[in-house]
Amino acid sequence: MTLLSVRRLSARLSARLSAYIAALLASASVAALAVAAPMAYVPNEGSGTISVIDTATDQVVAELPGGTKPRGLVVGSDSRWLYVSDQPNNRLQLVDLKAGKLGAVVALGESPEGVSMSPDGRWVIAAVEGKNEIAVTDTRTNALAFSIPVHGKNPEHAVFSPNGRLVFVSAEEGDAVDILDFTARKQVAQVAVGARPRGIGFLPDSSRAYVATENANEVFVIDTTSFAIVTRIKAGLRANGIAVHPSGKFVYVSNGGDANVSVIDTASNKIVATVPVGQRPWNMALTPDGKKLYVACGRSNSVTVIDTTNNSRLRDVAVGKLPWGVVIR
């Protein structure tokens, strides 16, 4: 074999080896994605985008279109669709997470806000302020299925109980929480709370709901069987967002006027820690393991990440303009 032939053979083998290594790396990348950490999706109402944060690295890995003014959002149970309330366009905007582009829309009515998904993944509900009702979308068809009227004025958040039986709705201008029996598709109670109720969160066993009241600077704790107020907890200035730890041991309250998050021990219903965050903290979400809390900070155009094991501020992640909330899946 001549020297030239040896060189040609060596070049061919080298090319094949490079291709093989590339294939292995590609397979590794796919495998890594399959076991990737949950993603945090952040609607930026000022820039009309959805920032996607990898919770393993706390880095923004994508920016998705979100409509004109995205606010409430949930991720479908198959992780294919993101359901986003596009407030000025009076609709639920679907975002195709695989393609990274806008999908179909569902007309909801004037000024949809908070969005929640039923525990079985079938229903997406949106609080529709202008119509004082809850619009219900069937995820099997991605079409509006029915609506449930509420007594309170300007519903902002509509949240399923973990057992799927009840929906609690904060009536922003009604100073009350409307309680719906979802199976019966009707309102069954109304509980008067402090001025301007906002965020709602349930204990994992559905036994109690925690409701932040922005103008009263309090959190109201409601028994979900009797619908009685168990206690009232003094929070920070302009308390608004609520997140509940997966263990049920702690509830987190964002205080928009104080730029911090209060930590409530649910055994005593006392505040046990306060963590500084960015400006105008709003809605929040925890990772499934409960180890990190992500707080949308509207005026800072960032998300503050909190280590829940020691209630410390880990870092701030720059996102789009005026982030409104966070959902993690």
Side-chain angles (χ1 to χ4, degrees):
M1 182 178 292
T2 65
L3 180 60
L4 180 60
S5 298
V6 170
R7 287 176 176 172
R8 287 175 177 171
L9 178 60
S10 176
R12 286 197 296 270
L13 290 174
S14 177
R16 289 177 183 175
L17 181 60
S18 296
Y20 178 70
I21 292 173
L24 285 177
L25 290 174
S27 298
S29 297
V30 171
L33 287 174
V35 296
M39 297 293 167
Y41 299 89
V42 183
N44 304 299
E45 62 177 338
S47 52
T49 59
I50 309 293
S51 297
V52 184
I53 301 171
D54 184 335
T55 62
T57 63
D58 289 337
Q59 298 293 316
V60 174
V61 295
E63 290 284 346
L64 303 175
T68 303
K69 188 179 180 182
R71 284 200 152 185
L73 77 168
V74 290
V75 182
S77 57
D78 62 356
S79 297
R80 169 68 188 276
W81 296 106
L82 190 66
Y83 297 83
V84 186
S85 62
D86 189 2
Q87 188 200 26
N89 291 319
N90 304 326
R91 67 193 186 189
L92 192 67
Q93 174 69 63
L94 274 67
V95 180
D96 187 330
L97 291 177
K98 291 184 179 179
K101 62 182 182 181
L102 297 177
V105 298
V106 181
L108 298 180
E110 183 183 354
S111 189
E113 292 267 350
V115 175
S116 176
M117 177 171 282
S118 61
D120 63 6
R122 179 175 175 183
W123 307 106
V124 172
I125 57 174
V128 184
E129 287 188 321
K131 298 179 73 174
N132 295 326
E133 67 181 23
I134 304 308
V136 184
T137 296
D138 189 335
T139 62
R140 298 176 305 176
T141 60
N142 286 333
L144 186 67
F146 56 91
S147 297
I148 305 173
V150 294
H151 299 161
K153 186 178 180 182
N154 278 22
E156 172 156 325
H157 288 274
V159 182
F160 274 100
S161 60
N163 59 20
R165 296 175 184 171
L166 299 173
V167 173
F168 274 42
V169 183
S170 54
E172 183 180 357
E173 293 184 21
D175 300 344
V177 173
D178 294 311
I179 300 174
L180 312 182
D181 180 321
F182 189 72
T183 301
R185 299 181 183 179
K186 66 178 183 179
Q187 182 163 341
V188 294
Q190 186 179 68
V191 180
V193 293
R196 208 172 181 84
R198 295 282 200 176
I200 301 168
F202 290 87
L203 295 184
D205 65 0
S206 301
S207 63
R208 293 182 177 182
Y210 287 71
V211 182
T213 55
E214 187 174 34
N215 287 354
N217 307 317
E218 288 183 300
V219 174
F220 283 70
V221 185
I222 301 173
D223 183 285
T224 59
T225 300
S226 65
F227 304 143
I229 294 172
V230 176
T231 190
R232 297 161 61 169
I233 305 165
K234 188 66 177 177
L237 182 62
R238 293 197 289 279
N240 49 62
I242 292 282
V244 181
H245 195 275
S247 68
K249 293 181 178 180
F250 301 101
V251 169
Y252 304 87
V253 187
S254 58
N255 302 303
D258 285 337
N260 61 31
V261 169
S262 298
V263 184
I264 298 171
D265 182 330
T266 60
S268 63
N269 280 324
K270 303 292 185 183
I271 291 177
V272 295
T274 301
V275 186
V277 296
Q279 295 299 308
R280 205 209 76 172
W282 204 243
N283 298 300
M284 309 172 287
L286 287 137
T287 51
D289 61 10
K291 292 182 178 180
K292 291 199 288 187
L293 176 69
Y294 289 72
V295 185
C297 301
R299 293 202 182 103
S300 295
N301 300 328
S302 65
V303 170
T304 295
V305 185
I306 293 174
D307 181 341
T308 61
T309 58
N310 54 20
N311 292 320
S312 64
R313 182 178 185 169
L314 285 175
R315 61 189 60 87
D316 296 303
V317 182
V319 291
K321 187 177 180 181
L322 297 177
W324 189 86
V326 186
V327 65
I328 296 176
R329 187 176 179 85

